[in-house]
Amino acid sequence: VVFVLVMVCYTFTLHSLLQTLARALNFPPPPPGLFFLHGKPTGHVADIVFLAPVIESLIVVATVGLLGHFRCPVWSQILGAAFVLGLLHSTAWKPWGLIVAPGFAIDAFSYLYWRSNSRKIAYLVVVCRHALHNLIAAIPTIAYVIRHA
């Protein structure tokens, strides 16, 4: 639990720093999410807190596993997972891929660190870290839903 909380602190700090840097460099704001366009903020919360961590963590594990299968060094497995997920996140807003990539690098590191104990525990650590990080980002949306319910 302590490991997950510390990794959430690291990712939140890096994420906030890079997002602030993007604003300081006058990048255009990100577009609203799919659920906000359709007026379903609860769907947005469910998506980023429950669905995204499970699916994106599977992609991290698959990327690390694939690069490990080809005997790539550990650092390239970490950077490879961050690159793949950063690329997937940059489709709607280009800077977003760079903003989220460090978090996915931390996920890949966490998975590799805990994998020697158990692959299931390693995957669970990555999912929990991601879900808690996204929960912080979902707090304004949760407050919006509560106010307008």
Side-chain angles (χ1 to χ4, degrees):
V1 172
V2 172
F3 181 87
V4 171
L5 292 174
V6 169
M7 293 301 117
V8 169
C9 290
Y10 285 148
T11 56
F12 183 75
T13 302
L14 285 168
H15 182 90
S16 298
L17 177 68
L18 292 172
Q19 204 166 15
T20 302
L21 186 62
R23 276 192 221 117
L25 294 173
N26 290 325
F27 283 117
L34 176 66
F35 290 106
F36 276 124
L37 290 175
H38 296 290
K40 298 180 182 173
T42 53
H44 172 72
V45 171
D47 179 39
I48 68 170
V49 175
F50 300 111
L51 186 62
V54 171
I55 294 171
E56 292 171 353
S57 297
L58 281 173
I59 297 170
V60 167
V61 170
T63 305
V64 167
L66 182 65
L67 293 172
H69 177 74
F70 290 113
R71 309 262 188 245
C72 293
V74 171
W75 64 267
S76 66
Q77 294 173 33
I78 293 170
L79 292 179
F83 176 77
V84 167
L85 280 139
L87 193 64
L88 291 173
H89 279 79
S90 67
T91 56
W93 187 52
K94 300 298 181 212
W96 196 245
L98 294 172
I99 292 169
V100 299
F104 289 114
I106 289 173
D107 281 349
F109 164 78
S110 300
Y111 177 77
L112 288 167
Y113 181 81
W114 285 96
R115 186 174 64 180
S116 62
N117 291 359
S118 163
R119 291 180 190 270
K120 289 179 186 176
I121 290 173
Y123 176 70
L124 186 61
V125 164
V126 173
V127 170
C128 288
R129 199 274 333 145
H130 193 156
L132 284 174
H133 175 82
N134 285 359
L135 179 62
I136 294 168
I139 288 172
T141 307
I142 293 169
Y144 173 83
V145 169
I146 291 170
R147 275 194 318 259
H148 294 90

